[in-house]
Amino acid sequence: MAPTLSSSKTDTAEPKGTPGTRDKQINTHLPEAERLRLSRPFSLPTPRGAALWAIIAVVLVWAGMGAGINPDKLLSGIPNMGDFLARLFPPTFDKFGVIAKLLIETLQMALVGTVLGALASLLLSFGAASNVSPRWVYTACRGILNVLRSIPELIFALMFVSAVGLGPFAGILAIVLGSVGSIGKVYAEAMESVQPGPVEALTAVGANKRQIISYAVLPQAAPLLVSYTLLLFEGNVRGATILGLVGAGGIGLELTTAMRMYDYGHLCAIIISIIVLVTIIDRISAFIRAKLS
């Protein structure tokens, strides 16, 4: 007979009377009040929950006022937004060769920057994971990741443009550091979230850190690491289109030039091309994730 919510399930694999049988009894009885609460799709929050929601509402209002949210300005600006969008159409693809060349350059920047950034992030994440590194290494690596994550990629791009000159190489270097800052902590937390059982088993038999990482941590964290890397690549493709604004290669400079020259048809063609590229990458990433899962 299948156990019900009000029944008591007993592990029958162990003979009766053996030590530990009493401890293995699992009480699945659900109180009537709890069952009624779960049967209702909506219920009034508890005083503690209501206080929490009130605090969240106050914080959101405070943040909105500080950020200058003004619905009246948005409503009054809708006609201007419509006028801007109307000027974008129809798109003109007479410079499609230039757009395709710069998009390929943007894609190359994102690809190289993502691979190098992911490798650097992986190395740092070993030190930033509390379950595989000593405390002082953990603190140092977390500090480095915090510093890198605090600096925008545009600042890195300006720094590298001044160091290596204009062009995609400066953009790649900026993407690498930006990737480490954005994904290194995520990698480390993925490693910290693995099941501790395999780690403890290898530790108990005297495995060293390299063996623990190779046979217990990485096999469990690998699907998450791959998924995060694909997300990073998608983000870097979009980010690489912005780096051109400061001369760090990619299609960003062409985008800025079209806006400054009021060449709305060309601007619309660039935006459409970027959307198509990002959509293709998103579909390919989804296909790879589906295969991995």
Side-chain angles (χ1 to χ4, degrees):
M1 180 178 176
T4 61
L5 289 177
S6 59
S7 66
S8 179
K9 187 174 71 176
T10 304
D11 187 355
T12 57
E14 189 175 359
K16 291 181 178 180
T18 57
T21 302
R22 187 176 178 181
D23 294 334
K24 289 187 176 181
Q25 287 182 347
I26 301 173
N27 184 10
T28 58
H29 175 71
L30 192 65
E32 186 63 22
E34 189 68 13
R35 189 192 342 236
L36 289 175
R37 186 185 68 81
L38 293 174
S39 65
R40 290 193 295 267
F42 299 102
S43 59
L44 293 175
T46 61
R48 185 176 180 182
L52 180 61
W53 280 111
I55 292 173
I56 293 175
V58 170
V59 171
L60 285 177
V61 170
W62 169 76
M65 293 177 64
I69 291 181
N70 191 337
D72 293 336
K73 283 187 177 180
L74 177 61
L75 293 175
S76 61
I78 287 179
N80 295 332
M81 293 168 58
D83 180 62
F84 178 79
L85 293 175
R87 292 181 186 180
L88 291 177
F89 293 94
T92 56
F93 287 93
D94 53 345
K95 299 179 183 177
F96 182 72
V98 176
I99 296 174
K101 179 182 176 183
L102 292 174
L103 275 181
I104 291 173
E105 182 180 279
T106 303
L107 186 63
Q108 291 170 333
M109 289 168 56
L111 184 62
V112 176
T114 300
V115 172
L116 296 179
L119 290 175
S121 300
L122 189 63
L123 293 176
L124 264 177
S125 63
F126 290 140
S130 59
N131 57 340
V132 296
S133 62
R135 188 68 186 176
W136 68 272
V137 176
Y138 168 82
T139 303
C141 290
R142 286 281 177 163
I144 293 173
L145 292 178
N146 288 338
V147 171
L148 293 177
R149 191 168 59 255
S150 303
I151 302 174
E153 283 188 5
L154 277 178
I155 303 299
F156 287 132
L158 286 171
M159 181 178 70
F160 286 119
V161 163
S162 65
V164 301
L166 298 171
F169 183 49
I172 291 173
L173 295 175
I175 292 174
V176 170
L177 289 187
S179 299
V180 175
S182 61
I183 208 71
K185 182 181 177 184
V186 180
Y187 279 1
E189 291 179 352
M191 294 181 185
E192 289 177 342
S193 65
V194 300
Q195 293 295 325
V199 177
E200 293 171 356
L202 286 174
T203 304
V205 298
N208 56 33
K209 287 292 183 185
R210 183 188 62 80
Q211 292 169 325
I212 292 174
I213 292 172
S214 300
Y215 300 111
V217 177
L218 279 182
Q220 295 187 71
L224 278 178
L225 298 182
V226 174
S227 180
Y228 291 148
T229 304
L230 292 173
L231 286 175
L232 175 67
F233 177 59
E234 295 173 21
N236 281 341
V237 172
R238 292 191 295 271
T241 63
I242 303 300
L243 297 181
L245 298 176
V246 294
I251 202 169
L253 182 59
E254 186 73 10
L255 190 72
T256 308
T257 303
M259 292 180 67
R260 288 176 179 170
M261 300 295 292
Y262 300 105
D263 191 354
Y264 291 105
H266 185 45
L267 175 63
C268 185
I270 294 173
I271 294 174
I272 291 174
S273 301
I274 293 173
I275 293 173
V276 171
L277 177 64
V278 172
T279 302
I280 292 173
I281 293 172
D282 176 69
R283 292 295 85 201
I284 294 174
S285 299
F287 175 77
I288 295 174
R289 287 195 200 96
K291 289 294 182 184
L292 291 174
S293 61

